[in-house]
Amino acid sequence: MMGTFASVLATKKIKTHTDRFQANVEGDIENVEGVLKITVIRVHYMLKLKPEEEADARWAFENYIEKCPGAMSVTGCIGIEHTLELVAE
């Protein structure tokens, strides 16, 4: 997911070097009818950017998941929650 988001940001010329772009990921594993199952994945992105890049970054965030092979592979089976924190550079 992070790679796809970075690719979409790159189309808007927003840099995603490691000092500017991070993700914290966690999930829930539950017992579903006797089988352990990942039920939710939460991704919190942090992106440093220039103020004039904010609108493009928000657009990328709203649109990247539809292009993400990983997310699209598990949609309907595992819930995906994602948030974006923008930090002024």
Side-chain angles (χ1 to χ4, degrees), residues 5-6 8-17 19-21 46-63 84-89:
F5 186 27
V8 176
L9 287 166
T11 68
K12 298 293 186 179
K13 308 285 191 253
I14 298 174
K15 296 177 183 174
T16 56
H17 302 293
D19 61 327
R20 297 175 47 101
F21 185 50
M46 293 157 289
L47 176 64
K48 290 182 185 176
L49 72 171
K50 299 172 186 165
E52 61 270 16
E53 296 173 319
E54 184 173 337
D56 284 340
R58 290 192 187 281
W59 178 89
F61 179 71
E62 294 300 323
N63 291 284
L84 175 62
E85 178 182 348
L86 300 176
V87 178
E89 189 175 47

Side-chain angles (χ1 to χ4, degrees), residues 13-83:
K13 308 285 191 253
I14 298 174
K15 296 177 183 174
T16 56
H17 302 293
T18 56
D19 61 327
R20 297 175 47 101
F21 185 50
Q22 298 176 4
N24 292 324
V25 183
E26 59 181 27
D28 295 340
I29 299 173
E30 298 179 34
N31 183 331
V32 179
E33 298 179 9
V35 177
L36 293 178
K37 179 180 175 183
I38 299 169
T39 55
V40 178
I41 297 170
R42 285 180 294 283
V43 183
H44 178 72
Y45 296 105
M46 293 157 289
L47 176 64
K48 290 182 185 176
L49 72 171
K50 299 172 186 165
E52 61 270 16
E53 296 173 319
E54 184 173 337
D56 284 340
R58 290 192 187 281
W59 178 89
F61 179 71
E62 294 300 323
N63 291 284
Y64 84 96
I65 208 153
E66 299 166 352
K67 298 171 177 49
C68 179
M72 291 295 96
S73 295
V74 301
T75 296
C77 301
I78 300 173
I80 298 175
E81 300 171 3
H82 59 142
T83 56

